Amino acid sequence: MSVLRAGTLELRGRRITLRPLTPGDWDQWREVRTAGRDWLVRWEPAPLPGSPDPADDRRAFAARCGARDRERQLGTGFGFGIFLGDRFCGEINLSGIQRGPFQNGYVGYWIEQLYAGNGYIPEAVVALFRFAFEELHLHRLQVAVIPRNIASNRVAQKLALRHEGTALRYLEINGVWEDHHRYAMTVEDWWERRTTLLDAWIL
Ligand SMILES: CC(C)(COP(=O)(O)OP(=O)(O)OC[C@H]1O[C@@H](n2cnc3c(N)ncnc32)[C@H](O)[C@@H]1OP(=O)(O)O)[C@@H](O)C(=O)NCCC(=O)NCCS
């Protein structure tokens, strides 16, 4: 379950903690992002031309945190840093939340290369799914993955997310319109599989 610590939303996994990033996280964030540029950029949208890079510009990072705060207040998105103790090591975001008849959100994530292969992202995904289904009462969550991203497809497979098909030229990643496997879970699946997922990744 989520807890409020000093006014901050916090989700707990077995080993990791998720909480919104704040301007005070800039030093750690920039260090991880700068060292991991090659590891990350090939799987991410290219920055808008002319926009300041939050890894080089403290104010741009603070603005990014502010934008995420507003999304959270509006209920349209929930962005979290992933922490091992006090050590920042990645991010997981629930974005593009739509209510009405869809009740859907999109999940994206990354972890620092040094910490890859320890199951921290599947753990973070289950913590976020629990929050999204049980506290935000969303109906469907989707993760979209480029077919050649073996590691990320493995995350979806480990969690047995439903492969709903491959959307052609679905998202513009690093300047190219890339096909994506669309993986999803609905709240009905969540209640069916909740105990197994929490036992495997959270408790
Ligand atoms: C994809 C990613 C989020 C997976 O996170 P993770 O916490 O390492 O996930 P896991 O520990 O469950 O490992 C998943 C797979 O990564 C691969 N992997 C394991 N160790 C690895 C390492 N040191 N380096 C790279 N890949 C590794 C394996 O294929 C593993 O599957 P396996 O456990 O069946 O062997 C992470 O590799 C990452 O951040 N990559 C760069 C950004 C990215 O691809 N984001 C997702 C876009 S959809």
Side-chain angles (χ1 to χ4, degrees):
M1 282 293 166
S2 65
V3 293
L4 281 174
R5 196 187 61 173
T8 299
L9 179 62
E10 192 174 272
L11 310 184
R12 297 245 172 85
R14 184 177 290 152
R15 301 161 295 173
I16 53 157
T17 303
L18 310 181
R19 66 156 174 83
L21 292 170
T22 68
D25 294 313
W26 189 59
D27 286 334
Q28 281 203 75
W29 189 87
R30 73 186 294 221
E31 203 179 304
V32 170
R33 291 289 311 185
T34 305
R37 215 179 279 268
D38 294 344
W39 165 250
L40 297 170
V41 291
R42 61 203 165 122
W43 306 119
E44 295 183 345
L48 289 172
S51 61
D53 183 348
D56 299 329
D57 183 329
R58 182 187 289 275
R59 279 181 306 177
F61 180 73
R64 182 183 190 269
C65 294
R68 295 277 159 85
D69 289 346
R70 280 191 295 283
E71 285 172 10
R72 199 167 59 252
Q73 285 152 13
L74 291 168
T76 55
F78 292 80
F80 296 93
I82 303 173
F83 292 84
L84 276 163
D86 290 334
R87 172 72 155 78
F88 168 75
C89 59
E91 287 183 272
I92 185 162
N93 296 310
L94 171 60
S95 62
I97 292 176
Q98 273 178 269
R99 295 294 187 172
F102 199 16
Q103 300 292 332
N104 184 74
Y106 302 97
V107 174
Y109 45 68
W110 62 268
I111 192 132
E112 180 180 1
Q113 189 168 13
L114 185 67
Y115 291 99
N118 290 294
Y120 292 132
I121 289 295
E123 184 176 321
V125 170
V126 175
L128 183 63
F129 275 29
R130 182 192 206 181
F131 170 69
F133 286 131
E134 298 186 11
E135 297 193 42
L136 301 179
H137 302 293
L138 290 176
H139 179 253
R140 179 179 180 276
L141 298 170
Q142 176 180 295
V143 179
V145 183
I146 296 176
R148 68 175 178 283
N149 189 341
I150 306 295
S152 191
N153 279 287
R154 280 292 301 139
V155 170
Q157 287 154 10
K158 281 182 197 188
L159 298 175
L161 304 184
R162 185 171 46 248
H163 183 214
E164 295 191 332
T166 305
L168 301 185
R169 295 176 285 284
Y170 184 61
L171 296 174
E172 192 177 20
I173 300 297
N174 201 19
V176 178
W177 288 98
E178 297 275 6
D179 299 348
H180 281 71
H181 291 320
R182 289 189 299 113
Y183 295 98
M185 185 184 283
T186 62
V187 76
E188 293 85 353
D189 310 319
W190 172 255
W191 285 112
E192 217 168 273
R193 302 187 46 225
R194 176 184 197 272
T195 306
T196 311
L197 287 168
L198 295 186
D199 283 350
W201 298 100
I202 304 291
L203 301 177

Short mmCIF file of all heavy atoms in Angstrom, two decimals, residues 135-189:
data_model
loop_
_atom_site.label_atom_id
_atom_site.label_comp_id
_atom_site.label_asym_id
_atom_site.label_seq_id
_atom_site.Cartn_x
_atom_site.Cartn_y
_atom_site.Cartn_z
N GLU A 135 -5.73 1.64 -5.55
CA GLU A 135 -5.96 2.97 -4.97
C GLU A 135 -6.47 3.97 -6.00
O GLU A 135 -7.27 4.83 -5.68
CB GLU A 135 -4.69 3.46 -4.29
CG GLU A 135 -4.33 2.52 -3.14
CD GLU A 135 -3.29 3.08 -2.21
OE1 GLU A 135 -3.34 4.26 -1.87
OE2 GLU A 135 -2.39 2.30 -1.84
N LEU A 136 -5.99 3.85 -7.23
CA LEU A 136 -6.50 4.75 -8.28
C LEU A 136 -7.72 4.16 -8.97
O LEU A 136 -8.40 4.84 -9.72
CB LEU A 136 -5.41 5.04 -9.32
CG LEU A 136 -4.12 5.68 -8.79
CD1 LEU A 136 -3.12 5.87 -9.93
CD2 LEU A 136 -4.41 7.01 -8.11
N HIS A 137 -7.93 2.87 -8.76
CA HIS A 137 -9.09 2.16 -9.35
C HIS A 137 -9.11 2.22 -10.87
O HIS A 137 -10.18 2.37 -11.48
CB HIS A 137 -10.40 2.69 -8.74
CG HIS A 137 -10.42 2.54 -7.24
ND1 HIS A 137 -10.45 1.31 -6.63
CD2 HIS A 137 -10.34 3.47 -6.26
CE1 HIS A 137 -10.40 1.50 -5.31
NE2 HIS A 137 -10.32 2.79 -5.07
N LEU A 138 -7.93 2.12 -11.47
CA LEU A 138 -7.88 2.01 -12.93
C LEU A 138 -8.32 0.61 -13.34
O LEU A 138 -8.28 -0.34 -12.54
CB LEU A 138 -6.47 2.31 -13.44
CG LEU A 138 -6.06 3.78 -13.31
CD1 LEU A 138 -4.62 3.99 -13.74
CD2 LEU A 138 -6.99 4.69 -14.11
N HIS A 139 -8.72 0.47 -14.59
CA HIS A 139 -9.17 -0.83 -15.08
C HIS A 139 -8.11 -1.55 -15.88
O HIS A 139 -8.03 -2.78 -15.86
CB HIS A 139 -10.43 -0.67 -15.94
CG HIS A 139 -10.93 -1.98 -16.48
ND1 HIS A 139 -10.80 -2.34 -17.80
CD2 HIS A 139 -11.53 -3.02 -15.86
CE1 HIS A 139 -11.30 -3.57 -17.96
NE2 HIS A 139 -11.76 -3.99 -16.81
N ARG A 140 -7.26 -0.79 -16.60
CA ARG A 140 -6.29 -1.42 -17.49
C ARG A 140 -4.96 -0.68 -17.45
O ARG A 140 -4.95 0.56 -17.45
CB ARG A 140 -6.83 -1.42 -18.93
CG ARG A 140 -5.89 -2.03 -19.97
CD ARG A 140 -6.54 -1.99 -21.35
NE ARG A 140 -5.68 -2.55 -22.38
CZ ARG A 140 -4.72 -1.88 -23.01
NH1 ARG A 140 -4.47 -0.62 -22.71
NH2 ARG A 140 -3.99 -2.47 -23.93
N LEU A 141 -3.86 -1.44 -17.44
CA LEU A 141 -2.52 -0.86 -17.50
C LEU A 141 -1.78 -1.50 -18.66
O LEU A 141 -1.88 -2.72 -18.87
CB LEU A 141 -1.77 -1.13 -16.19
CG LEU A 141 -2.43 -0.50 -14.96
CD1 LEU A 141 -1.79 -1.00 -13.68
CD2 LEU A 141 -2.37 1.02 -15.02
N GLN A 142 -1.04 -0.68 -19.39
CA GLN A 142 -0.33 -1.17 -20.58
C GLN A 142 1.15 -0.85 -20.49
O GLN A 142 1.55 0.22 -20.05
CB GLN A 142 -0.90 -0.52 -21.84
CG GLN A 142 -0.13 -0.94 -23.09
CD GLN A 142 -0.67 -0.32 -24.37
OE1 GLN A 142 -1.78 -0.61 -24.78
NE2 GLN A 142 0.14 0.54 -25.00
N VAL A 143 1.96 -1.79 -20.93
CA VAL A 143 3.40 -1.58 -21.12
C VAL A 143 3.68 -1.85 -22.60
O VAL A 143 3.30 -2.90 -23.11
CB VAL A 143 4.22 -2.55 -20.25
CG1 VAL A 143 5.71 -2.34 -20.48
CG2 VAL A 143 3.87 -2.42 -18.78
N ALA A 144 4.34 -0.92 -23.29
CA ALA A 144 4.66 -1.11 -24.71
C ALA A 144 6.16 -1.28 -24.85
O ALA A 144 6.94 -0.48 -24.29
CB ALA A 144 4.19 0.10 -25.51
N VAL A 145 6.57 -2.30 -25.59
CA VAL A 145 7.99 -2.66 -25.65
C VAL A 145 8.42 -2.92 -27.09
O VAL A 145 7.77 -3.68 -27.82
CB VAL A 145 8.27 -3.93 -24.80
CG1 VAL A 145 9.75 -4.27 -24.81
CG2 VAL A 145 7.76 -3.77 -23.38
N ILE A 146 9.53 -2.34 -27.50
CA ILE A 146 10.09 -2.61 -28.82
C ILE A 146 10.49 -4.09 -28.90
O ILE A 146 11.12 -4.60 -27.97
CB ILE A 146 11.32 -1.71 -29.07
CG1 ILE A 146 10.89 -0.23 -29.10
CG2 ILE A 146 12.03 -2.09 -30.36
CD1 ILE A 146 12.04 0.75 -29.25
N PRO A 147 10.11 -4.79 -29.97
CA PRO A 147 10.37 -6.24 -30.03
C PRO A 147 11.83 -6.62 -29.77
O PRO A 147 12.09 -7.63 -29.13
CB PRO A 147 9.92 -6.62 -31.45
CG PRO A 147 8.83 -5.63 -31.75
CD PRO A 147 9.28 -4.33 -31.10
N ARG A 148 12.80 -5.82 -30.20
CA ARG A 148 14.21 -6.21 -30.02
C ARG A 148 14.73 -5.89 -28.61
O ARG A 148 15.88 -6.22 -28.31
CB ARG A 148 15.09 -5.56 -31.08
CG ARG A 148 15.23 -4.07 -30.97
CD ARG A 148 16.21 -3.48 -31.99
NE ARG A 148 16.26 -2.04 -31.85
CZ ARG A 148 15.35 -1.19 -32.31
NH1 ARG A 148 14.28 -1.65 -32.97
NH2 ARG A 148 15.46 0.11 -32.11
N ASN A 149 13.91 -5.25 -27.77
CA ASN A 149 14.35 -4.98 -26.40
C ASN A 149 14.10 -6.24 -25.55
O ASN A 149 13.11 -6.39 -24.84
CB ASN A 149 13.59 -3.78 -25.82
CG ASN A 149 14.16 -3.32 -24.48
OD1 ASN A 149 14.87 -4.07 -23.81
ND2 ASN A 149 13.86 -2.10 -24.10
N ILE A 150 15.07 -7.15 -25.65
CA ILE A 150 14.93 -8.47 -25.02
C ILE A 150 14.69 -8.33 -23.51
O ILE A 150 13.80 -8.99 -22.95
CB ILE A 150 16.22 -9.32 -25.24
CG1 ILE A 150 16.57 -9.41 -26.74
CG2 ILE A 150 16.09 -10.71 -24.62
CD1 ILE A 150 15.57 -10.13 -27.58
N ALA A 151 15.47 -7.47 -22.87
CA ALA A 151 15.38 -7.36 -21.40
C ALA A 151 13.99 -6.90 -20.98
O ALA A 151 13.40 -7.45 -20.03
CB ALA A 151 16.45 -6.40 -20.88
N SER A 152 13.44 -5.90 -21.67
CA SER A 152 12.12 -5.39 -21.28
C SER A 152 11.00 -6.38 -21.61
O SER A 152 10.04 -6.52 -20.85
CB SER A 152 11.88 -4.04 -21.94
OG SER A 152 10.74 -3.43 -21.38
N ASN A 153 11.15 -7.09 -22.73
CA ASN A 153 10.16 -8.14 -23.03
C ASN A 153 10.19 -9.22 -21.95
O ASN A 153 9.17 -9.78 -21.59
CB ASN A 153 10.42 -8.74 -24.42
CG ASN A 153 9.85 -7.87 -25.52
OD1 ASN A 153 8.64 -7.81 -25.72
ND2 ASN A 153 10.71 -7.15 -26.25
N ARG A 154 11.37 -9.49 -21.42
CA ARG A 154 11.48 -10.48 -20.35
C ARG A 154 10.71 -10.03 -19.11
O ARG A 154 10.10 -10.84 -18.41
CB ARG A 154 12.96 -10.73 -19.98
CG ARG A 154 13.68 -11.65 -20.92
CD ARG A 154 13.17 -13.09 -20.84
NE ARG A 154 13.30 -13.65 -19.50
CZ ARG A 154 12.38 -14.41 -18.89
NH1 ARG A 154 11.26 -14.71 -19.51
NH2 ARG A 154 12.59 -14.86 -17.66
N VAL A 155 10.77 -8.72 -18.81
CA VAL A 155 10.03 -8.21 -17.66
C VAL A 155 8.54 -8.52 -17.84
O VAL A 155 7.88 -9.04 -16.93
CB VAL A 155 10.25 -6.68 -17.48
CG1 VAL A 155 9.30 -6.10 -16.45
CG2 VAL A 155 11.70 -6.39 -17.11
N ALA A 156 8.01 -8.21 -19.02
CA ALA A 156 6.58 -8.46 -19.29
C ALA A 156 6.27 -9.96 -19.19
O ALA A 156 5.23 -10.35 -18.65
CB ALA A 156 6.21 -7.92 -20.67
N GLN A 157 7.20 -10.78 -19.70
CA GLN A 157 6.97 -12.24 -19.66
C GLN A 157 7.02 -12.77 -18.23
O GLN A 157 6.20 -13.60 -17.85
CB GLN A 157 8.00 -12.95 -20.54
CG GLN A 157 7.73 -12.74 -22.03
CD GLN A 157 9.00 -12.85 -22.87
OE1 GLN A 157 10.05 -13.25 -22.39
NE2 GLN A 157 8.89 -12.48 -24.15
N LYS A 158 7.98 -12.28 -17.45
CA LYS A 158 8.08 -12.74 -16.05
C LYS A 158 6.81 -12.46 -15.28
O LYS A 158 6.43 -13.22 -14.39
CB LYS A 158 9.22 -12.01 -15.33
CG LYS A 158 10.59 -12.52 -15.62
CD LYS A 158 11.58 -11.73 -14.79
CE LYS A 158 12.97 -11.92 -15.34
NZ LYS A 158 13.99 -11.33 -14.46
N LEU A 159 6.19 -11.32 -15.60
CA LEU A 159 4.97 -10.94 -14.88
C LEU A 159 3.73 -11.52 -15.55
O LEU A 159 2.61 -11.29 -15.09
CB LEU A 159 4.87 -9.41 -14.81
CG LEU A 159 6.02 -8.73 -14.04
CD1 LEU A 159 5.90 -7.22 -14.14
CD2 LEU A 159 6.03 -9.18 -12.58
N ALA A 160 3.96 -12.26 -16.64
CA ALA A 160 2.87 -12.88 -17.41
C ALA A 160 1.81 -11.86 -17.79
O ALA A 160 0.61 -12.10 -17.67
CB ALA A 160 2.26 -14.05 -16.65
N LEU A 161 2.29 -10.68 -18.25
CA LEU A 161 1.34 -9.69 -18.78
C LEU A 161 0.79 -10.24 -20.10
O LEU A 161 1.47 -10.99 -20.80
CB LEU A 161 2.04 -8.34 -19.02
CG LEU A 161 2.74 -7.73 -17.81
CD1 LEU A 161 3.30 -6.35 -18.16
CD2 LEU A 161 1.78 -7.62 -16.62
N ARG A 162 -0.42 -9.89 -20.42
CA ARG A 162 -1.05 -10.41 -21.64
C ARG A 162 -0.49 -9.70 -22.86
O ARG A 162 -0.48 -8.48 -22.93
CB ARG A 162 -2.57 -10.21 -21.56
CG ARG A 162 -3.31 -10.83 -22.73
CD ARG A 162 -4.81 -10.82 -22.53
NE ARG A 162 -5.31 -9.54 -22.06
CZ ARG A 162 -5.82 -9.34 -20.85
NH1 ARG A 162 -5.92 -10.32 -19.99
NH2 ARG A 162 -6.24 -8.14 -20.49
N HIS A 163 0.03 -10.47 -23.82
CA HIS A 163 0.52 -9.88 -25.07
C HIS A 163 -0.68 -9.67 -25.97
O HIS A 163 -1.30 -10.63 -26.43
CB HIS A 163 1.55 -10.81 -25.72
CG HIS A 163 2.15 -10.23 -26.97
ND1 HIS A 163 2.52 -10.99 -28.04
CD2 HIS A 163 2.43 -8.95 -27.30
CE1 HIS A 163 3.00 -10.21 -28.99
NE2 HIS A 163 2.97 -8.97 -28.55
N GLU A 164 -1.02 -8.41 -26.19
CA GLU A 164 -2.26 -8.12 -26.92
C GLU A 164 -2.03 -7.89 -28.41
O GLU A 164 -2.97 -7.60 -29.14
CB GLU A 164 -2.95 -6.92 -26.30
CG GLU A 164 -3.43 -7.19 -24.88
CD GLU A 164 -4.35 -6.12 -24.34
OE1 GLU A 164 -4.21 -4.96 -24.78
OE2 GLU A 164 -5.18 -6.45 -23.48
N GLY A 165 -0.76 -7.95 -28.81
CA GLY A 165 -0.48 -7.75 -30.24
C GLY A 165 0.66 -6.78 -30.43
O GLY A 165 1.22 -6.26 -29.45
N THR A 166 1.02 -6.57 -31.68
CA THR A 166 2.13 -5.67 -31.99
C THR A 166 1.57 -4.49 -32.77
O THR A 166 0.97 -4.67 -33.83
CB THR A 166 3.19 -6.41 -32.83
OG1 THR A 166 3.57 -7.58 -32.12
CG2 THR A 166 4.41 -5.54 -33.07
N ALA A 167 1.75 -3.30 -32.21
CA ALA A 167 1.28 -2.08 -32.88
C ALA A 167 2.41 -1.57 -33.78
O ALA A 167 3.54 -1.38 -33.30
CB ALA A 167 0.89 -1.05 -31.85
N LEU A 168 2.11 -1.40 -35.04
CA LEU A 168 3.16 -0.99 -35.99
C LEU A 168 3.43 0.50 -35.89
O LEU A 168 2.51 1.30 -35.78
CB LEU A 168 2.73 -1.36 -37.41
CG LEU A 168 2.44 -2.85 -37.65
CD1 LEU A 168 2.16 -3.11 -39.12
CD2 LEU A 168 3.59 -3.72 -37.15
N ARG A 169 4.72 0.84 -35.95
CA ARG A 169 5.16 2.24 -35.89
C ARG A 169 4.37 3.01 -34.82
O ARG A 169 3.77 4.04 -35.07
CB ARG A 169 4.99 2.88 -37.28
CG ARG A 169 5.91 2.23 -38.31
CD ARG A 169 5.73 2.76 -39.71
NE ARG A 169 4.51 2.26 -40.33
CZ ARG A 169 4.35 1.03 -40.84
NH1 ARG A 169 5.34 0.18 -40.81
NH2 ARG A 169 3.20 0.67 -41.37
N TYR A 170 4.43 2.49 -33.61
CA TYR A 170 3.53 2.92 -32.52
C TYR A 170 4.04 4.16 -31.79
O TYR A 170 3.29 5.07 -31.50
CB TYR A 170 3.40 1.75 -31.56
CG TYR A 170 2.45 1.93 -30.40
CD1 TYR A 170 1.10 2.16 -30.61
CD2 TYR A 170 2.91 1.81 -29.09
CE1 TYR A 170 0.23 2.28 -29.54
CE2 TYR A 170 2.04 1.93 -28.02
CZ TYR A 170 0.70 2.16 -28.25
OH TYR A 170 -0.16 2.26 -27.18
N LEU A 171 5.35 4.18 -31.45
CA LEU A 171 5.92 5.30 -30.71
C LEU A 171 7.22 5.74 -31.38
O LEU A 171 7.96 4.90 -31.91
CB LEU A 171 6.24 4.89 -29.26
CG LEU A 171 5.07 4.51 -28.36
CD1 LEU A 171 5.59 3.99 -27.02
CD2 LEU A 171 4.14 5.70 -28.14
N GLU A 172 7.49 7.04 -31.32
CA GLU A 172 8.74 7.56 -31.89
C GLU A 172 9.83 7.49 -30.83
O GLU A 172 9.82 8.27 -29.86
CB GLU A 172 8.56 8.99 -32.38
CG GLU A 172 9.74 9.43 -33.23
CD GLU A 172 9.56 10.84 -33.80
OE1 GLU A 172 8.74 11.61 -33.26
OE2 GLU A 172 10.28 11.17 -34.76
N ILE A 173 10.74 6.54 -31.00
CA ILE A 173 11.80 6.31 -30.02
C ILE A 173 13.14 6.64 -30.65
O ILE A 173 13.49 6.10 -31.69
CB ILE A 173 11.78 4.83 -29.54
CG1 ILE A 173 10.42 4.47 -28.89
CG2 ILE A 173 12.93 4.54 -28.59
CD1 ILE A 173 10.09 5.24 -27.63
N ASN A 174 13.85 7.54 -29.99
CA ASN A 174 15.17 7.96 -30.47
C ASN A 174 15.11 8.31 -31.97
O ASN A 174 16.00 7.95 -32.73
CB ASN A 174 16.19 6.85 -30.19
CG ASN A 174 17.61 7.37 -30.19
OD1 ASN A 174 17.85 8.57 -30.03
ND2 ASN A 174 18.57 6.49 -30.38
N GLY A 175 14.02 8.97 -32.37
CA GLY A 175 13.90 9.50 -33.73
C GLY A 175 13.31 8.54 -34.75
O GLY A 175 13.19 8.89 -35.93
N VAL A 176 12.91 7.34 -34.33
CA VAL A 176 12.38 6.35 -35.29
C VAL A 176 11.01 5.87 -34.81
O VAL A 176 10.84 5.55 -33.62
CB VAL A 176 13.34 5.13 -35.41
CG1 VAL A 176 12.78 4.08 -36.36
CG2 VAL A 176 14.73 5.58 -35.83
N TRP A 177 10.04 5.80 -35.74
CA TRP A 177 8.73 5.26 -35.38
C TRP A 177 8.86 3.74 -35.27
O TRP A 177 9.00 3.05 -36.29
CB TRP A 177 7.66 5.66 -36.40
CG TRP A 177 7.33 7.11 -36.26
CD1 TRP A 177 7.82 8.15 -36.99
CD2 TRP A 177 6.46 7.69 -35.27
NE1 TRP A 177 7.33 9.35 -36.52
CE2 TRP A 177 6.49 9.10 -35.46
CE3 TRP A 177 5.67 7.19 -34.24
CZ2 TRP A 177 5.74 9.97 -34.68
CZ3 TRP A 177 4.94 8.07 -33.46
CH2 TRP A 177 4.97 9.45 -33.67
N GLU A 178 8.84 3.25 -34.05
CA GLU A 178 9.15 1.85 -33.77
C GLU A 178 7.86 1.03 -33.53
O GLU A 178 6.95 1.49 -32.83
CB GLU A 178 10.01 1.74 -32.50
CG GLU A 178 11.37 2.40 -32.59
CD GLU A 178 12.42 1.48 -33.24
OE1 GLU A 178 12.07 0.39 -33.73
OE2 GLU A 178 13.60 1.89 -33.23
N ASP A 179 7.84 -0.20 -34.05
CA ASP A 179 6.81 -1.16 -33.67
C ASP A 179 6.95 -1.46 -32.18
O ASP A 179 8.06 -1.39 -31.63
CB ASP A 179 6.98 -2.48 -34.43
CG ASP A 179 6.88 -2.32 -35.94
OD1 ASP A 179 6.45 -1.25 -36.40
OD2 ASP A 179 7.23 -3.28 -36.65
N HIS A 180 5.84 -1.77 -31.53
CA HIS A 180 5.88 -2.14 -30.11
C HIS A 180 4.93 -3.30 -29.83
O HIS A 180 3.79 -3.32 -30.32
CB HIS A 180 5.43 -0.97 -29.22
CG HIS A 180 6.48 0.06 -28.98
ND1 HIS A 180 6.92 0.94 -29.96
CD2 HIS A 180 7.19 0.36 -27.87
CE1 HIS A 180 7.85 1.73 -29.43
NE2 HIS A 180 8.04 1.41 -28.18
N HIS A 181 5.42 -4.24 -29.02
CA HIS A 181 4.52 -5.23 -28.43
C HIS A 181 3.71 -4.51 -27.36
O HIS A 181 4.29 -3.78 -26.54
CB HIS A 181 5.29 -6.37 -27.76
CG HIS A 181 6.03 -7.26 -28.71
ND1 HIS A 181 5.50 -7.66 -29.93
CD2 HIS A 181 7.25 -7.83 -28.63
CE1 HIS A 181 6.36 -8.46 -30.53
NE2 HIS A 181 7.45 -8.56 -29.78
N ARG A 182 2.42 -4.72 -27.36
CA ARG A 182 1.58 -4.12 -26.32
C ARG A 182 1.21 -5.22 -25.32
O ARG A 182 0.61 -6.23 -25.68
CB ARG A 182 0.31 -3.51 -26.93
CG ARG A 182 0.62 -2.25 -27.73
CD ARG A 182 -0.62 -1.49 -28.15
NE ARG A 182 -1.46 -2.31 -29.01
CZ ARG A 182 -2.66 -2.75 -28.69
NH1 ARG A 182 -3.19 -2.45 -27.52
NH2 ARG A 182 -3.35 -3.49 -29.52
N TYR A 183 1.65 -5.01 -24.08
CA TYR A 183 1.33 -5.94 -22.99
C TYR A 183 0.36 -5.22 -22.04
O TYR A 183 0.54 -4.02 -21.78
CB TYR A 183 2.58 -6.30 -22.19
CG TYR A 183 3.63 -7.07 -22.96
CD1 TYR A 183 4.72 -6.42 -23.52
CD2 TYR A 183 3.53 -8.45 -23.11
CE1 TYR A 183 5.69 -7.12 -24.21
CE2 TYR A 183 4.50 -9.17 -23.79
CZ TYR A 183 5.58 -8.50 -24.34
OH TYR A 183 6.54 -9.20 -25.01
N ALA A 184 -0.61 -5.95 -21.54
CA ALA A 184 -1.59 -5.30 -20.65
C ALA A 184 -2.04 -6.23 -19.54
O ALA A 184 -1.86 -7.45 -19.60
CB ALA A 184 -2.79 -4.82 -21.46
N MET A 185 -2.59 -5.60 -18.53
CA MET A 185 -3.29 -6.34 -17.46
C MET A 185 -4.54 -5.53 -17.14
O MET A 185 -4.49 -4.30 -17.10
CB MET A 185 -2.40 -6.47 -16.22
CG MET A 185 -3.05 -7.34 -15.16
SD MET A 185 -2.09 -7.44 -13.63
CE MET A 185 -0.82 -8.58 -14.08
N THR A 186 -5.65 -6.21 -16.91
CA THR A 186 -6.84 -5.52 -16.42
C THR A 186 -7.05 -5.88 -14.96
O THR A 186 -6.45 -6.83 -14.44
CB THR A 186 -8.10 -5.88 -17.24
OG1 THR A 186 -8.34 -7.27 -17.10
CG2 THR A 186 -7.96 -5.48 -18.70
N VAL A 187 -7.92 -5.12 -14.33
CA VAL A 187 -8.12 -5.30 -12.88
C VAL A 187 -8.67 -6.69 -12.57
O VAL A 187 -8.39 -7.25 -11.50
CB VAL A 187 -9.00 -4.16 -12.32
CG1 VAL A 187 -10.48 -4.35 -12.69
CG2 VAL A 187 -8.83 -4.04 -10.82
N GLU A 188 -9.39 -7.28 -13.52
CA GLU A 188 -9.89 -8.65 -13.29
C GLU A 188 -8.72 -9.62 -13.17
O GLU A 188 -8.68 -10.47 -12.28
CB GLU A 188 -10.81 -9.09 -14.44
CG GLU A 188 -12.12 -8.33 -14.56
CD GLU A 188 -12.00 -7.03 -15.36
OE1 GLU A 188 -10.86 -6.64 -15.72
OE2 GLU A 188 -13.04 -6.39 -15.61
N ASP A 189 -7.72 -9.47 -14.07
CA ASP A 189 -6.51 -10.30 -13.98
C ASP A 189 -5.79 -10.05 -12.66
O ASP A 189 -5.27 -10.97 -12.03
CB ASP A 189 -5.50 -9.97 -15.11
CG ASP A 189 -6.13 -9.95 -16.48
OD1 ASP A 189 -6.95 -10.82 -16.75
OD2 ASP A 189 -5.77 -9.04 -17.28
#
